[in-house]
Amino acid sequence: MDVSVDAFPDLTGAIRAYIRSLTVVTTMVADRVWIGWPKNADGSLKLKVPPYLAAVLIESGRGGLGPDAEAPYQTERVDISCLGPNEHDANLLWRTLGPYLVDQTRRRPSGFRAANTLVSAVYQEGGPLRSPDPETDWPRTVCSYQFRYCTVPLSELVGV
Amino acid sequence: MSAWPGMSRRRGQLQTGSSRSGRGFYYQNRRVLIMDTPGTEVVWAGEGIAQFSMDVLQAVFSTLSRRGLDMVRAKAPYRHGDLRDSCYAFVDREATRVLVVVGAEAKHALYQELGTSRHAAQPFIRPTFDYLAAQVGPALRAEAAARGA
């Protein structure tokens, strides 16, 4: 049986697409929502820092609870770092973004649909942790989330 | 009939002050009636069950702690060995909660776990945690079964 890679949803891409759809966040970071640090081919950082701009950094590959045994769902851990010109603004960015990932009032279930991916739940696992990047001293607030998402692309799900 | 086979050390019939007839009693503000079946005996084994549960938890979490320490050391990026040597895992007990604490004391442990702008992350603590979390249920069942539950 041949399975195309397109048949497996791209969680990281979905998170980026979702964050980019949040006007309140893009007002602060413009298009700086990165999957991993932006780097040149030689591995050096693509940006010149300082100045320390506001940005959201999405980093996957951190493990997670893994796949459900019987349902087409996978739970993956993703670190989301909010970078800013100073600690306060980095934390403010996280406080702005955080409620769109996990509703602080718990009145609505967390989750979103983006990039042909159905994310059905988001759990905040740890953080927020103020941890400046040690190489650049870029202030950042790191938060760890577990994303539970459907391993069937949204376009193939009937009636959703 | 024992409510908890094999746990009869602390047995005692429920003849409390709230059970005048011996046919019922109050438990957590609820009236509990005992079926009038000949040969039926209700045995209070709560303390024994609690102790049994704590013994199982303690044994399982001690085992998981050892496995966790082996795994976190094996997964720790090795350069000079200081990170690996600083890894720790221990069992912590808070009242009725039993915890396994896994981590590393080296200053750069956090940066290995989260990554930096120059170095890619090499997570070693949280994968250990995932590994242990997946083992808790099966290990508890196996330990309880081995002790006759």
Side-chain angles (χ1 to χ4, degrees):
Chain A
M1 185 179 74
D2 293 331
V3 179
S4 163
V5 71
D6 295 334
F8 200 86
D10 172 16
L11 173 68
T12 321
I15 297 169
R16 178 169 64 178
Y18 175 63
I19 293 175
R20 282 187 168 165
S21 73
L22 304 171
T23 312
V24 69
V25 175
T26 52
T27 302
M28 301 170 80
V29 303
D31 64 345
R32 291 183 296 276
V33 181
W34 302 320
I35 296 175
W37 291 91
K39 291 193 172 180
N40 295 310
D42 64 357
S44 60
L45 200 58
K46 217 174 213 173
L47 308 155
K48 188 175 177 295
V49 282
Y52 300 123
L53 302 170
V56 177
L57 178 65
I58 304 162
E59 294 174 291
S60 54
R62 308 297 161 99
L65 296 173
D68 283 16
E70 292 171 359
Y73 276 89
Q74 169 98 9
T75 305
E76 215 176 300
R77 179 182 292 113
V78 177
D79 287 338
I80 296 185
S81 296
C82 293
L83 302 153
N86 53 57
E87 281 194 358
H88 174 268
D89 286 356
N91 197 48
L92 177 65
L93 178 55
W94 173 76
R95 286 171 52 216
T96 306
L97 169 62
Y100 287 94
L101 295 171
V102 180
D103 180 23
Q104 303 302 302
T105 63
R106 305 293 190 271
R107 286 180 186 150
R108 64 172 174 79
S110 56
F112 55 86
R113 297 171 187 196
N116 205 20
T117 302
L118 171 64
V119 176
S120 63
V122 185
Y123 314 100
Q124 184 179 329
E125 192 181 48
L129 179 68
R130 286 188 182 187
S131 172
D133 174 53
E135 315 286 0
T136 59
D137 285 333
W138 200 332
R140 73 171 171 180
T141 295
V142 189
C143 207
S144 189
Y145 295 92
Q146 295 249 8
F147 291 80
R148 184 169 187 268
Y149 65 100
C150 185
T151 51
V152 177
L154 198 53
S155 56
E156 290 182 26
L157 296 173
V158 181
V160 292
Chain B
M1 186 181 79
S2 167
W4 191 253
M7 296 293 293
S8 57
R9 279 179 298 150
R10 298 168 195 273
R11 62 191 286 175
Q13 281 185 293
L14 283 158
Q15 298 282 355
T16 67
S18 57
S19 177
R20 290 182 201 158
S21 64
R23 301 175 120 193
F25 58 96
Y26 285 96
Y27 180 70
Q28 292 187 339
N29 296 324
R30 288 185 180 183
R31 178 98 170 114
V32 179
L33 292 174
I34 300 168
M35 295 287 285
D36 191 12
T37 308
T40 299
E41 178 192 9
V42 177
V43 176
W44 170 248
E47 289 177 12
I49 293 170
Q51 187 60 51
F52 177 85
S53 303
M54 283 312 296
D55 290 348
V56 168
L57 281 171
Q58 193 75 41
V60 165
F61 277 62
S62 295
T63 304
L64 292 182
S65 166
R66 286 193 296 276
R67 287 183 197 166
L69 184 58
D70 289 345
M71 183 159 181
V72 75
R73 280 183 174 157
K75 280 193 161 292
Y78 185 85
R79 195 167 179 186
H80 305 295
D82 54 335
L83 179 61
R84 193 181 64 182
D85 293 344
S86 77
C87 291
Y88 59 82
F90 60 87
V91 179
D92 192 17
R93 187 172 163 179
E94 298 170 2
T96 55
R97 295 180 69 198
V98 183
L99 312 167
V100 173
V101 183
V102 180
E105 285 179 337
K107 285 182 181 173
H108 57 294
L110 180 66
Y111 301 128
Q112 292 289 356
E113 183 72 25
L114 297 178
T116 72
S117 59
R118 190 179 298 172
H119 294 285
Q122 291 179 277
F124 63 108
I125 297 173
R126 290 178 293 179
T128 302
F129 216 67
D130 295 335
Y131 164 77
L132 293 178
Q135 291 202 3
V136 169
L140 283 173
R141 279 192 290 276
E143 181 68 27
R147 289 170 180 249

